[in-house]
Amino acid sequence: TQRREEYLLFPEEPLAIEINAFFALEKSVIHYSGDLNDLKSHKIGAIRGYSYGHTFDDSSLGREYALNEKMLLEKIQNHRCTIGIGNIIVIEKLAQKMNIGIKILKPSVSEDPLFIAFSKVKGHQKLTQEFSKALHELRRTGKYQQILEQYADVYISKK
């Protein structure tokens, strides 16, 4: 946001693109065309305190909150809610680990770039440039993708 740019520096490219989407049990029959009105009769499971983008955050859809992704998947599995929303990489990997069959409902709800920020106050202009250069090189060599895949597995194993 413009407010953050007053005191933070951002690299040229994002660390990743976070894709948030609705998901449901594999055998569920749910009509979703991308219009949130399709889901008005459902209670949507979400993580308390998370933002899923303005479209969902500002909607009047009914919600059932969980403390983390594992609890969210358990609520879906136990039919406390019929649909969940979350980062598709995290949700898919965790559902696989928990042996819960899910399907991702398309289209996604939001696709937002994720950035790391550096302090302007501490004069990190050079560090920001060096980080951008290193990130670009890691992406070019494919090493960045390997790190992301390993991180997702480590993140999930802690749940």
Side-chain angles (χ1 to χ4, degrees):
T1 62
Q2 282 185 328
R3 190 173 141 257
R4 288 180 179 163
E5 288 178 359
E6 291 174 13
Y7 59 93
L8 294 172
L9 298 164
F10 295 93
E12 294 172 14
E13 53 186 290
L15 287 174
I17 302 297
E18 178 180 48
I19 301 172
N20 286 302
F22 293 116
F23 63 93
L25 290 175
E26 205 167 42
K27 296 180 182 178
S28 298
V29 179
I30 296 171
H31 170 71
Y32 174 61
S33 66
D35 182 350
L36 295 187
N37 288 319
D38 294 342
L39 307 178
K40 287 230 182 255
S41 64
H42 297 275
K43 192 182 294 186
I44 311 297
I47 308 293
R48 185 174 303 283
Y50 279 23
S51 173
Y52 299 100
H54 294 295
T55 301
F56 179 78
D57 294 349
D58 297 341
S59 76
S60 60
L61 292 174
R63 293 175 171 87
E64 170 79 22
Y65 288 106
L67 297 177
N68 56 45
E69 287 85 355
K70 181 176 186 281
M71 291 177 71
L72 176 57
L73 281 161
E74 288 169 345
K75 285 179 182 260
I76 297 286
Q77 184 179 39
N78 295 322
H79 306 285
R80 295 271 311 276
C81 46
T82 52
I83 298 170
I85 186 170
N87 177 308
I88 62 172
I89 293 171
V90 173
I91 293 297
E92 286 181 322
K93 285 197 174 271
L94 187 56
Q96 183 179 24
K97 180 180 177 188
M98 294 172 66
N99 201 28
I100 300 172
I102 62 163
K103 62 182 174 184
I104 302 297
L105 306 180
K106 294 181 181 179
S108 62
V109 177
S110 64
E111 297 184 16
D112 298 308
L114 300 176
F115 289 92
I116 190 168
F118 298 89
S119 172
K120 280 187 177 178
V121 175
K122 296 196 178 201
H124 288 308
Q125 288 83 357
K126 184 177 178 186
L127 180 60
T128 304
Q129 291 171 346
E130 289 171 356
F131 181 85
S132 289
K133 185 177 175 182
L135 181 60
H136 179 77
E137 182 63 16
L138 286 170
R139 281 206 168 109
R140 188 188 66 73
T141 63
K143 182 69 176 167
Y144 187 71
Q145 185 61 37
Q146 292 173 353
I147 292 168
L148 286 180
E149 289 168 5
Q150 180 182 357
Y151 168 79
D153 288 339
V154 169
Y155 177 77
I156 298 305
S157 69
K158 291 181 179 180
K159 293 288 179 183

